[in-house]
Amino acid sequence: MSFYNVINSYKDFDFESFLNEVDDNDILSILEKDKLDQYDFLALLSPTARKHLEEIAVKAREVHLKHFGKSIVLFTPMYIANYCVNKCAYCSYNFDNSIKRKSMTYEQIDLESRKILETGLKNILILTGEDKKRSSADYILGAIEVLKKYFDSISIEIYPLSIEDYERMVQAGVDGLSIYQETYNEEVYDRVHLSGPKKNYMFRLNAPERALKANMRSVTIGPLLGLNDWRKETFFGGLHAEYLQDKYPFAEIGVSVPRIRPCTKDFNNIKTVDEVDLVQILLAYRLFLPYASTTVTTREGSFMRDNLIPICISKMSAGVSTEVGGHSLEENAGDEQFEISDPRSVDEVKQAILERGYQPIVKNWMQI
């Protein structure tokens, strides 16, 4: 069975009627429960639930503290290549875009690693575009060999791989995968992915499961908020995480909440997701998925991120550059993927966490 079967089981479900029929008593009743089902989760995404965010936040904080304590894991991304053969309507890396393309050499990756290490971080997330010639699996494996000298936890956010290639990544030292379906709506997915291998909806949808079959320790998923109705997308993102948790209980499953950010090519067909919507999404995730890690990146501003620290998030990025080699190469860096909203340094983010009575964690995993 694939998660695609779960999606199809809701093909005829009337989301609009369900969401509009949720009343205040439904929400208050859900807050009395220790374990939520999928309909409780969907109700927490309703317009009525928006009126009860304060009560929901109190419950979410209790649940979060029980499972994650007062700690926030910090990491930073390292963009090692931005060559891409896909034509995605919403992304700067779109093959048709005239941007400065770059693929770092291993010597440059070493320099970038040492620059990041100066901040104290020991968790790294490496990213590439999808170009199997310029950013092949072998090239990425070579980068991992360099990174292992400096970092205790290495995660990848790259194009979908086969089980065999995920096994190679795990054997090389990768312990985490972040991969976003972008949208669970197959028609919207086809419309925004104009051409290239990413147009294969099913291959991307099943990538998290292939990685888990290859014994990946940690997998983070989620939709790109803004491509489609956020309530439906969040619902399927939550069900996807639950499906993976149930089927692969050995792994840490996480959810992230990326909202579309400005990029080099304007994409105007954005479904609005405001900050209150984002808070509602995170609170609903926390109550439905009490054991799942929750990540908020620098796509969000400092005010938003800082105020979420004592409520429901477990991971944050810090000291971020979305340019290829952006930590060390300066004018020789490749163009950024998107504009970040929180440009603070690692030390500044650490201080914000400490001021709220929480502990910044720079190292939370080490390979045996």
Side-chain angles (χ1 to χ4, degrees), residues 182-322:
E182 318 298 17
T183 171
Y184 288 93
N185 184 298
E186 207 166 353
E187 292 181 6
V188 176
Y189 188 95
D190 185 67
R191 188 161 64 245
V192 298
H193 298 103
L194 308 176
S195 68
K198 192 171 180 179
K199 198 169 180 67
N200 188 332
Y201 173 91
M202 288 297 296
F203 191 67
R204 191 169 187 89
L205 182 69
N206 292 324
E209 192 160 5
R210 290 196 300 276
L212 290 165
K213 287 178 179 177
N215 292 315
M216 190 70 72
R217 182 189 70 87
S218 171
V219 171
T220 299
I221 62 169
L224 177 58
L225 299 169
L227 292 180
N228 191 35
D229 176 78
W230 66 264
R231 290 185 168 92
K232 293 180 183 177
E233 294 293 338
T234 302
F235 178 67
F236 286 118
L239 293 192
H240 197 181
E242 181 189 48
Y243 167 89
L244 296 173
Q245 281 183 333
D246 290 346
K247 200 167 181 181
Y248 303 93
F250 66 84
E252 175 193 289
I253 305 301
V255 290
S256 187
V257 288
R259 289 194 293 174
I260 289 180
R261 293 287 302 143
C263 61
T264 58
K265 190 169 186 177
D266 290 335
F267 176 68
N268 298 316
N269 190 23
I270 297 175
K271 308 295 183 184
T272 301
V273 184
D274 65 30
E275 290 189 345
V276 179
D277 296 333
L278 193 68
V279 171
Q280 185 172 354
I281 290 167
L282 281 162
L283 295 178
Y285 272 146
R286 173 47 64 232
L287 294 185
F288 181 58
L289 302 164
Y291 304 103
S293 63
T294 45
T295 302
V296 178
T297 70
T298 55
R299 287 175 181 265
E300 302 303 326
S302 57
F303 179 83
M304 178 72 163
R305 298 208 309 156
D306 290 353
N307 282 284
L308 286 169
I309 289 169
I311 301 175
C312 60
I313 61 171
S314 57
K315 293 183 179 180
M316 295 173 67
S317 52
V320 171
S321 170
T322 67

Side-chain angles (χ1 to χ4, degrees), residues 35-51:
K35 181 174 175 56
L36 308 189
D37 64 25
Q38 69 269 35
Y39 299 112
D40 296 326
F41 175 48
L42 184 58
L44 290 176
L45 300 172
S46 68
T48 297
R50 189 181 177 106
K51 298 186 297 181

Side-chain angles (χ1 to χ4, degrees), residues 4 89 99 102 174 248 260 290 294 298 312 321 328 337 358 368:
Y4 188 66
I99 66 171
K102 185 172 183 63
V174 170
Y248 303 93
I260 289 180
T294 45
T298 55
C312 60
S321 170
S328 63
Q337 186 181 28
Y358 279 63
I368 297 174

